[in-house]
Amino acid sequence: MSGPVRIDRSGDIVVWTLDNPAARNPISDPETVAALETAVAEADRDLGVRVAILTATGTAFSAGGNIKDMRDRAGMFGGSPAELYRNYRHGIQRIPKALYHCEVPTIAAVNGPAVGAGCDLAMMCDIRIAATSATFAESFVRLGIVPGDGGAWLLSRAIGPARAAEMAFTGEPIDAATALDWGLVSAVVAPDRLLEAAHDLATRIARQPPHALRMTKRLLRTAENHSLDSVLDLSAAMQAAAHHTADHAEAVAAMLGRREPRFTGG
């Protein structure tokens, strides 16, 4: 499909590609916000989708906010403080809400610089794989602003508070090797192998029972902000449902029969 986000489906894996390379794939415009929000909603509704990959065309993953719009006080960056507040709340902040609550596992395949909100966009995904050409910069402070899209919450959970503070306080980029060492990404590969590596990982995930996958993701999300007792209670409720799925019966039969399972989403 045409537009700021291209959607390609291959079996049970969907790929969302930021497709505005001339502008280095900014995500602050209403069209991109709406396109990402719609892509997530469509994946959530379709039980045939088991994994989503988020990547980009061109040399950059995402430049985050549109700097020219900031200069011109245009688009979401225009208006009074009260208007700007609403622009963020009803604009770019819809992206972290959509991706955080996305029901299917998400993989960011970071092909190049991920800057500001672009860095945070990668953090919004469950897993990140980087090309050697990727860099990551929580660079808001260099523009005299703060992370307005949830970066202060996302980054510390990905790499810990001290390293998140270092990135946010200096605004300096880190390369892919450092990102791997800090645990920000799970793997670093050559640029021409990035999508192959992302698809390989997605395929390993997509082999699993789809209902169990979605419930596991919800449990991981819940565990970030709730007590052990709350997570145990939700786990018991989900486990009760999982035990009555056809895929659970198939998994047990396959394991006892020493064969590969065939999951149907039942």
Side-chain angles (χ1 to χ4, degrees):
M1 63 179 289
S2 60
V5 180
R6 191 175 73 242
I7 300 176
D8 300 291
R9 175 81 176 268
S10 177
D12 42 25
I13 298 170
V14 65
V15 180
W16 304 324
T17 305
L18 301 177
D19 197 17
N20 187 4
R24 296 173 63 82
N25 301 313
I27 59 170
S28 55
D29 58 283
E31 294 78 15
T32 301
V33 172
L36 285 170
E37 197 174 46
T38 298
V40 171
E42 289 176 351
D44 283 349
R45 284 194 297 267
D46 187 348
L47 289 178
V49 175
R50 301 190 187 184
V51 187
I53 297 170
L54 174 62
T55 191
T57 57
T59 58
F61 177 70
S62 175
N66 189 311
I67 303 298
K68 291 182 180 178
D69 283 351
M70 291 184 193
R71 178 197 63 194
D72 299 336
R73 297 188 179 276
M76 70 167 285
F77 305 114
S80 67
E83 289 169 326
L84 278 161
Y85 173 85
R86 289 183 57 81
N87 291 346
Y88 273 87
R89 293 291 290 159
H90 299 288
I92 197 171
Q93 289 186 358
R94 286 157 49 197
I95 298 176
K97 289 180 180 179
L99 282 171
Y100 182 79
H101 294 292
C102 179
E103 294 182 9
V104 301
T106 53
I107 301 169
V110 184
N111 54 299
V115 181
C119 178
D120 295 340
L121 180 66
M123 299 305 107
M124 295 171 202
C125 295
D126 300 305
I127 304 169
R128 290 159 291 282
I129 297 175
T132 52
S133 53
T135 58
F136 299 84
E138 190 76 353
S139 55
F140 299 93
V141 71
R142 292 193 167 193
L143 292 172
I145 56 177
V146 302
D149 59 341
W153 190 90
L154 295 159
L155 192 59
S156 63
R157 282 163 172 75
I159 59 175
R163 282 172 169 159
E166 180 179 340
M167 289 186 69
F169 293 165
T170 67
E172 296 170 356
I174 61 172
D175 61 18
T178 302
L180 180 63
D181 181 57
W182 287 7
L184 192 151
V185 302
S186 298
V188 174
V189 299
D192 61 355
R193 285 205 60 249
L194 179 63
L195 284 180
E196 177 188 351
H199 274 281
D200 286 347
L201 176 57
T203 299
R204 288 163 47 204
I205 295 171
R207 291 193 189 110
Q208 311 311 317
H211 292 300
L213 268 180
R214 292 187 180 215
M215 287 192 289
T216 298
K217 175 165 180 177
R218 184 179 171 195
L219 277 177
L220 289 172
R221 285 287 189 249
T222 301
E224 292 174 347
N225 298 295
H226 290 76
S227 67
L228 175 60
D229 284 345
S230 295
V231 174
L232 287 172
D233 186 61
L234 180 60
S235 300
M238 287 187 170
Q239 197 74 303
H243 273 287
H244 281 267
T245 62
D247 280 343
H248 168 61
E250 166 64 8
V252 172
M255 187 168 292
L256 293 175
R258 303 192 181 210
R259 61 171 174 81
E260 287 297 314
R262 295 178 293 275
F263 298 125
T264 62

